[in-house]
């Protein structure tokens, strides 16, 4: 089971469009998958995200979306030269035992030129610490504002890079 995580709670994010495209790639290949977006986090998340403070609903959600997956696709936007704080909080809310030994593929999304490569390196560092294997082939999406039309990703190069990563990740 692969869980795709759209790594921001910003309403109207381009990250979500890319993450939904990834969902379609997995669907087209018949891969079992789930999709979550950090927009789904509870409104009081910032004050309830540590283990003992979590609601039963939150624990159940994490248990099925994270505990029930053996692979994760993280789609992470670049915010101030890194991945979003809400994504770090989300990771911090998960018991490490639900992550250890699992596999991940990373996609960076930025309006600027960096494609969140820096953020993906930082995310990789945390994942290595947690014992999550990281597919070496990141997809870096720079200048994303110009690559999306009518809420669809249209750039052939990026579409191709996502296809290649998805195929490799399924085999990983
Ligand atoms: C708080 C914040 C900080 C941002 N910082 C950067 C940045 O450091 N570099 C960059 O290229 N784009 C930056 N952006 C623009 C995002 O990369 C852009 O909004 C892109 O669409 C991905 O974010 P989104 O998924 O929220 O749309 C920032 C956006 C926000 C909301």
């Amino acid at each position: 089971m692969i869980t795709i995580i759209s790594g921001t709670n910003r309403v109207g994010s381009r990250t979500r469009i890319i993450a939904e495209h990834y969902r379609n790639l997995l669907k087209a290949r018949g891969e079992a998958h789930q999709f979550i977006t950090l927009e789904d986090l509870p409104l009081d998340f910032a004050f309830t995200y540590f283990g003992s403070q979590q609601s039963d609903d939150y624990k159940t959600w994490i248990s099925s979306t994270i505990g029930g997956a053996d692979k994760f696709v993280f789609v992470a936007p670049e915010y101030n030269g890194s991945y979003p704080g809400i994504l770090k909080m989300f990771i911090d809310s998960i018991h490490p035992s639900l992550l250890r030994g699992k596999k991940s593929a990373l996609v960076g999304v930025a309006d600027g030129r960096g494609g969140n490569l820096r953020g993906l390196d930082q995310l990789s560092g945390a994942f290595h610490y947690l014992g999550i294997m990281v597919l070496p082939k990141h997809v870096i999406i720079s200048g994303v504002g110009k690559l999306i039309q009518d809420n669809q990703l249209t750039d052939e190069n990026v579409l191709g890079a996502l296809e290649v990563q998805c195929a490799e990740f399924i085999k990983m």
Side-chain angles (χ1 to χ4, degrees):
M1 169 72 73
I2 300 177
T3 295
I4 307 155
I5 296 142
S6 178
T8 177
N9 59 347
R10 192 177 82 77
V11 174
S13 76
R14 297 185 182 108
T15 295
R16 183 172 178 157
I17 294 171
I18 307 292
E20 284 176 351
H21 177 78
Y22 219 112
R23 170 166 60 180
N24 292 335
L25 292 179
L26 293 172
K27 206 173 179 177
R29 285 169 170 75
E31 279 295 310
H33 63 279
Q34 308 178 80
F35 177 90
I36 65 172
T37 160
L38 300 190
E39 292 160 84
D40 296 336
L41 292 173
L43 290 179
D44 61 356
F45 179 68
F47 294 93
T48 59
Y49 75 102
F50 289 121
S52 62
Q53 295 163 301
Q54 291 171 0
S55 68
D56 289 343
D57 281 354
Y58 187 76
K59 285 181 190 155
T60 303
W61 184 62
I62 289 293
S63 164
S64 70
T65 58
I66 303 299
D70 51 2
K71 295 184 180 182
F72 307 104
V73 176
F74 280 85
V75 186
E78 178 169 333
Y79 290 171
N80 296 317
S82 184
Y83 63 91
I86 192 79
L87 178 54
K88 182 62 165 65
M89 289 169 71
F90 176 68
I91 295 164
D92 292 348
S93 79
I94 301 167
H95 195 280
S97 64
L98 298 181
L99 298 170
R100 200 171 300 122
K102 295 187 176 177
K103 296 171 180 173
S104 67
L106 309 185
V107 179
V109 181
D111 227 0
R113 297 174 64 184
N116 200 20
L117 182 56
R118 234 185 322 232
L120 297 193
D121 282 346
Q122 292 157 351
L123 204 48
S124 299
F127 285 177
H128 289 145
Y129 174 82
L130 286 163
I132 303 173
M133 283 162 266
V134 180
L135 183 76
K137 196 185 286 285
H138 301 328
V139 176
I140 299 303
I141 306 178
S142 309
V144 67
K146 298 190 196 90
L147 309 180
I148 289 178
Q149 269 124 36
D150 298 327
N151 289 333
Q152 295 290 325
L153 180 62
T154 53
D155 184 80
E156 290 299 327
N157 288 333
V158 176
L159 289 168
L162 289 168
E163 288 265 357
V164 169
Q165 188 198 52
C166 182
E168 284 192 18
F169 190 48
I170 288 169
K171 281 191 260 156
M172 184 184 183

